[in-house]
Amino acid sequence: MDLLQGVFVLPFVDMADAPVFLLEVVISGLLTGIMYSLVALGFVLIFKASGVFNFAQGVMVLFAALTLVGLMEHGVPVWLALILTMAVMVALAFAIERVMLRPLVNQEGIILFMATIGLTFFLEGFGESLWGSDVKRLDVGIPVDSFEVGGVLLNSFDLWAAGIGAVMVIGLAVFFQKTPIGRALRAVADDHQAAMSVGIPLKTIWVIVWSVAGIVAMVAGIMWGSKSGVQFSLSLIALKALPVLILGGFTSVPGAIVGGLIIGVGEKIAEIYWGPLFGGAIENWFAYVLALVFLYFRPQGLFGERIIERV
Amino acid sequence: MAERNFGEVVLKVDNVSLSFGGVTALENVSFDTREHEIRAIIGPNGAGKSSMLNVINGFYHPQDGTITFKGQARKQMRTHDAAAQGIARTFQNIALFKGMTTLDNIMTGRNLKMRRNFLWQALYWGPAQREEMEHREFVEHIIDFLEIQAIRKTPVGRLPYGLQKRVELGRALAAEPDLLLLDEPMAGMNTEEKEDMSRFIIDVNDDFGTTIVLIEHDMSVVMDLSDRVAVLDYGKLLADGTPDEVRGNKAVIDAYLGAVHD
């Protein structure tokens, strides 16, 4: 009886008792959610354009952040370090296309997936041998002060993160839907052979997509790195992007955003109001349970393309 | 059919052999196509017809033989070169971009006509946008020509099969090809749809002077449309000539026509 009450009644009583606190929890969840979305976006881009599930996306976040911090530690000014890191991510995209994608063209998805696992370990080791493995502080000048609006405590950093996330999403949406390159990208995502028959260069498209995913990874790396320091655990944030993708659908940019927000808010609320029942720390696994439940009802995700099986 | 005039030989395939591992798909096949001609390739299933088209547009690379297109001889075509040289095609099992609209699908056919490269498009939005409008205008003409105005904004995945075939033809036409390869353009269509498609093929050939190589199983369509017919069987060229010649060929009747009309 106590347990039922603890699960179904008391948390809601708590919420109603302190609405401002609830609002703070929701907002903080939304802001964390945006950061998840940023990571998930990188997955979606590559999956859409090349059908590859890029396991290395998380480590690309780490690699970009490490490069940026490393350059700044060597006295390179922030703006130049940003440009150089971007250049490094583009160079990485070229290298990945040449060494990994081109030889494996037309192979099964699972083989490419395995290749990206290899890439993960390579990038991890390469990044650490270049820049060292100790935790580094990243400060690109985003303000971190807190302030109150109508009794709700807000942090400027989180608002910046939200703003940057929103700009990225709108930019990508316009890029995909409105430009000729975007159209070519969608064409490649849909049918490789047909795209080749109209002369769309697959190699160029892959380089573009991996470059964009690399830059998205850099932005995610900056946000997460500024928040919690640049360290190996950054690459594990990618694992949090998995439930986001299951919710949002692997092929949908808006899905990555909405999925990220749902996971962000869901896990914060679960942690605060239901966490004590389980002795806390349910934030770490709640997202996966949510994703699992979601899979029962809508395996293609909220915005994913309908899976139609012809028999 | 009125007297038809053809130009020079535009495509010439010489002694092409293609195999996958131990399986032979094409063996010493030669044939040619003159400008403005409608050329059919027929043969039983597995005869190597689609392989032939795939060799011509560079999806498959033959082990032996040469492919001469517009006077340039090659051991093998490359897909991008083929498209850039003016070869466009459709596919047996419709290869459209299913999530995209009819308009966007046909626009992709303009890809190689875009003068500004990708980087340019990203940097100079203004000129690139003007160029986009010009291409859009061209595509609208194709849409009118194929009578698919009503489905311009419909994602092609939702269209019935016959219309999808038409959109796919539109995408190929958007490239303003000199050589159009059609892999079973009428498969799975009803009589009315077949008549429409035949009319479009004839119009494309007449109005734009496009050379056409097509694979088709419907014999009455093949005999009506084509100027010359090449017959493949087990990867070998069995016969080659006008529809009448092929119809009267004993080997063809045995291998193919006979089998169909059993």
Side-chain angles (χ1 to χ4, degrees):
Chain A
M1 206 52 212
D2 274 357
L3 182 67
L4 284 178
Q5 212 175 16
V7 173
F8 293 108
V9 182
L10 293 179
F12 297 103
V13 173
D14 287 345
M15 287 182 203
D17 274 352
V20 172
F21 179 64
L22 175 63
L23 190 61
E24 274 179 13
V25 172
V26 170
I27 289 174
S28 115
L30 284 173
L31 296 167
T32 316
I34 293 239
M35 310 260 280
Y36 290 150
S37 301
L38 274 179
V39 182
L41 261 181
F43 280 103
V44 170
L45 286 175
I46 288 179
F47 190 77
K48 253 178 104 86
S50 48
V52 178
F53 182 81
N54 177 25
F55 191 76
Q57 188 65 33
V59 104
M60 279 164 67
V61 171
L62 172 69
F63 186 77
L66 275 176
T67 308
L68 185 68
V69 174
L71 287 168
M72 285 167 65
E73 278 179 348
H74 284 78
V76 180
V78 178
W79 63 270
L80 186 59
L82 281 173
I83 293 173
L84 287 175
T85 307
M86 239 185 262
V88 167
M89 296 316 281
V90 172
L92 183 68
F94 270 97
I96 289 171
E97 191 279 320
R98 188 68 198 85
V99 178
M100 199 181 93
L101 296 176
R102 203 183 297 181
L104 294 180
V105 69
N106 288 334
Q107 297 283 355
E108 297 281 330
I110 188 74
I111 293 183
L112 283 155
F113 173 67
M114 306 262 275
T116 67
I117 294 181
L119 179 65
T120 305
F121 289 109
F122 169 73
L123 274 184
E124 202 181 295
F126 184 59
E128 289 189 353
S129 61
L130 269 185
W131 306 113
S133 57
D134 40 330
V135 182
K136 297 182 173 68
R137 217 175 69 83
L138 175 63
D139 181 9
V140 290
I142 300 174
V144 289
D145 51 303
S146 301
F147 55 90
E148 250 190 53
V149 180
V152 180
L153 194 66
L154 291 172
N155 188 306
S156 336
F157 180 85
D158 292 339
L159 292 180
W160 270 88
I164 290 169
V167 168
M168 300 264 332
V169 170
I170 293 167
L172 287 171
V174 170
F175 179 66
F176 261 89
Q177 296 299 327
K178 300 289 175 197
T179 69
I181 314 174
R183 188 170 51 228
L185 290 172
R186 282 181 291 144
V188 170
D190 232 322
D191 192 316
H192 283 189
Q193 273 211 328
M196 282 164 76
S197 82
V198 294
I200 294 173
L202 277 191
K203 292 165 193 162
T204 315
I205 294 292
W206 281 335
V207 171
I208 293 175
V209 172
W210 281 76
S211 300
V212 174
I215 291 166
V216 171
M218 182 187 85
V219 174
I222 293 171
M223 305 320 288
W224 280 107
S226 310
K227 207 176 163 107
S228 48
V230 177
Q231 52 184 316
F232 171 72
S233 67
L234 267 191
S235 64
L236 299 179
I237 286 162
L239 298 179
K240 262 299 168 51
L242 294 181
V244 172
L245 291 169
I246 289 171
L247 248 75
F250 279 79
T251 51
S252 167
V253 170
I257 308 308
V258 176
L261 296 179
I262 293 175
I263 295 282
V265 172
E267 67 177 19
K268 272 283 179 316
I269 288 188
E271 172 73 34
I272 304 269
Y273 293 98
W274 282 274
L277 280 176
F278 298 90
I282 72 172
E283 204 170 353
N284 292 327
W285 50 261
F286 178 78
Y288 299 97
V289 176
L290 195 61
L292 189 62
V293 172
F294 208 81
L295 275 177
Y296 293 149
F297 299 104
R298 222 184 137 75
Q300 73 272 33
L302 282 172
F303 295 83
E305 282 146 26
R306 280 249 315 275
I307 304 164
I308 302 168
E309 194 86 40
R310 284 238 171 87
V311 189
Chain B
M1 209 179 274
E3 187 64 31
R4 289 169 54 80
N5 295 313
F6 307 115
E8 302 285 304
V9 168
V10 61
L11 171 75
K12 195 158 178 289
V13 174
D14 284 304
N15 298 313
V16 160
S17 297
L18 171 76
S19 57
F20 302 100
V23 185
T24 305
L26 293 169
E27 200 180 327
N28 271 323
V29 178
S30 304
F31 76 98
D32 63 30
T33 305
R34 292 163 295 178
E35 247 173 75
H36 194 203
E37 198 173 22
I38 300 183
R39 194 71 153 99
I41 303 177
I42 63 170
N45 285 326
K49 305 182 298 291
S50 290
S51 295
M52 194 67 241
L53 289 200
N54 285 336
V55 163
I56 297 172
N57 99 307
F59 280 147
Y60 292 164
H61 296 152
Q63 282 80 15
D64 265 315
T66 52
I67 306 140
T68 311
F69 184 63
K70 290 183 177 172
Q72 198 180 346
R74 294 180 175 81
K75 296 301 282 178
Q76 32 186 245
M77 263 297 184
R78 290 185 21 211
T79 323
H80 193 267
D81 290 344
Q85 294 283 315
I87 300 179
R89 69 168 295 173
T90 66
F91 296 81
Q92 191 176 340
N93 303 312
I94 305 184
L96 283 169
F97 310 121
K98 299 238 181 322
M100 289 160 57
T101 62
T102 298
L103 187 63
D104 271 352
N105 265 280
I106 301 181
M107 279 298 280
T108 60
R110 298 298 290 169
N111 180 58
L112 285 170
K113 298 282 169 192
M114 305 245 171
R115 288 185 304 276
R116 323 216 175 263
N117 67 29
F118 282 161
L119 199 62
W120 237 88
Q121 286 172 10
L123 293 177
Y124 293 94
W125 184 222
Q129 204 169 25
R130 264 198 299 286
E131 200 193 341
E132 174 93 354
M133 293 311 293
E134 291 164 25
H135 290 300
R136 175 71 187 272
E137 210 175 296
F138 187 88
V139 165
E140 292 293 347
H141 285 308
I142 289 175
I143 289 177
D144 288 345
F145 173 75
L146 294 174
E147 297 157 20
I148 45 178
Q149 298 91 337
I151 53 162
R152 284 162 67 246
K153 300 278 184 185
T154 315
V156 295
R158 289 196 212 142
L159 295 173
Y161 191 80
L163 277 180
Q164 290 196 12
K165 282 267 185 197
R166 215 184 277 192
V167 175
E168 206 191 16
L169 176 63
R171 183 181 63 196
L173 290 179
E176 300 175 62
D178 297 316
L179 175 62
L180 182 59
L181 311 174
L182 304 174
D183 197 344
E184 302 198 17
M186 293 166 215
M189 286 187 170
N190 62 33
T191 315
E192 194 188 332
E193 288 172 327
K194 279 185 185 178
E195 280 167 6
D196 282 341
M197 187 53 90
S198 299
R199 182 163 52 83
F200 292 132
I201 293 174
I202 291 170
D203 285 351
V204 167
N205 181 253
D206 279 349
D207 298 354
F208 311 136
T210 313
T211 312
I212 295 172
V213 175
L214 63 88
I215 295 173
E216 185 48 55
H217 277 296
D218 186 324
M219 279 309 123
S220 64
V221 168
V222 169
M223 297 303 169
D224 279 354
L225 280 182
S226 14
D227 298 304
R228 282 192 298 158
V229 182
V231 188
L232 290 179
D233 193 23
Y234 294 109
K236 287 185 193 149
L237 188 70
L238 202 62
D240 189 4
T242 64
D244 284 334
E245 286 166 6
V246 166
R247 221 191 317 242
N249 186 305
K250 179 76 172 63
V252 175
I253 295 168
D254 287 350
Y256 185 57
L257 295 177
V260 169
H261 293 296
D262 262 350

